[in-house]
Amino acid sequence: VSYGATSPLTVAFHAGSAGEWQVVRQSTRIGEDLPAAERIGTAPTLAPALWTLTGFTSNLRYTTGAERLKLDARSAPLGRSEARMAALIPIRKSAAWWAMAQDERRAIYERSAHTPIGLGYLPGIARRLHHCRDLGEPFDFLTWFEFEPELEGEFDDLLARLRITEEWRFIDREIDIRLIRA
Ligand code: HEM
């Protein structure tokens, strides 16, 4: 049984003229935008970055044991050669969200069916969630997804379904950056 108890991994996304991923398009759904870069990469480079966003993987907060079994059984790893497209979506949640207690946040997360909706898009969409609120970063989460270019329409459908949920009413900054392997 995998309990997913791996050590936190810190990841810095550097935007600029170098990096493994080429920016295809960037759109700000809500809140202040970010300067658009040519490329984004996670390897340290000598080239000065236009911006750097840092986050870390962490333990689960809203997932039940039964849900985790389903997620583990269906999730694909990052780095598949056919998954040439990616999305980096930095997200910030509002003061109202963070003022709530854990059970209140979990109730909203659950009513929004985030996990059941997301499960329907596995294993095509591979994902990794990075947290950054506790680092004093401008966003609370750096969400990362990798998929075959043919699945971009499905990914857009997934986003459309999530963005009409109660949970998304607490998101006050969200920027959708689409990338292709350079
Ligand atoms: C959190 C699943 C897609 C944004 C989570 C969690 C799960 C999950 C299980 C909870 C982790 C925990 O227990 O702490 C999925 C699946 C997806 C998917 C299976 C299908 C590909 C997305 C998309 C976005 C997104 C497209 C938006 C860009 C987030 C955010 C959190 C989160 C911001 C953190 C919520 C918080 O801690 O307040 N996701 N998700 N997810 N997901 Fe998704």
Side-chain angles (χ1 to χ4, degrees):
V1 182
S2 158
Y3 291 99
T6 48
S7 307
L9 171 75
T10 297
V11 181
F13 293 92
H14 306 285
S17 55
E20 313 95 88
W21 296 90
Q22 192 182 325
V23 177
V24 179
R25 79 190 84 85
Q26 175 173 323
S27 56
T28 300
R29 193 192 67 95
I30 188 168
E32 200 191 322
D33 58 11
L34 267 178
E38 267 170 61
R39 289 192 181 209
I40 293 178
T42 52
T45 61
L46 291 172
L50 188 60
W51 46 259
T52 296
L53 293 172
T54 304
F56 52 86
T57 61
S58 187
N59 53 281
L60 298 171
R61 282 126 164 97
Y62 303 109
T63 305
T64 63
E67 286 169 339
R68 183 167 56 185
L69 285 175
K70 287 187 201 163
L71 288 160
D72 286 353
R74 295 187 210 172
S75 294
L78 298 182
R80 295 167 298 169
S81 58
E82 68 275 18
R84 292 175 47 250
M85 260 213 123
L88 171 64
I89 308 183
I91 284 178
R92 187 180 69 194
K93 283 184 167 173
S94 65
W97 173 265
W98 295 109
M100 284 187 286
Q102 180 71 19
D103 60 333
E104 298 169 309
R105 292 195 301 263
R106 162 72 201 176
I108 291 168
Y109 179 89
E110 201 171 353
R111 282 201 295 274
S112 301
H114 186 134
T115 300
I117 290 172
L119 274 168
Y121 295 83
L122 304 181
I125 313 287
R127 49 182 264 283
R128 189 164 67 201
L129 176 65
H130 311 85
H131 295 257
C132 43
R133 175 176 169 80
D134 295 355
L135 299 177
E137 286 273 313
F139 293 92
D140 296 333
F141 308 98
L142 306 174
T143 65
W144 178 259
F145 307 91
E146 290 179 8
F147 45 87
E148 291 178 35
E150 295 70 26
L151 289 183
E152 195 177 21
E154 271 199 41
F155 184 71
D156 287 333
D157 292 344
L158 164 61
L159 278 175
R161 290 174 67 188
L162 289 173
R163 283 172 177 161
I164 56 170
T165 62
E166 185 181 1
E167 184 190 358
W168 249 252
R169 287 189 229 148
F170 294 91
I171 291 177
D172 66 8
R173 194 173 178 198
E174 179 179 355
I175 300 164
D176 186 340
I177 307 171
R178 299 295 169 94
L179 308 140
I180 192 108
R181 270 185 215 279

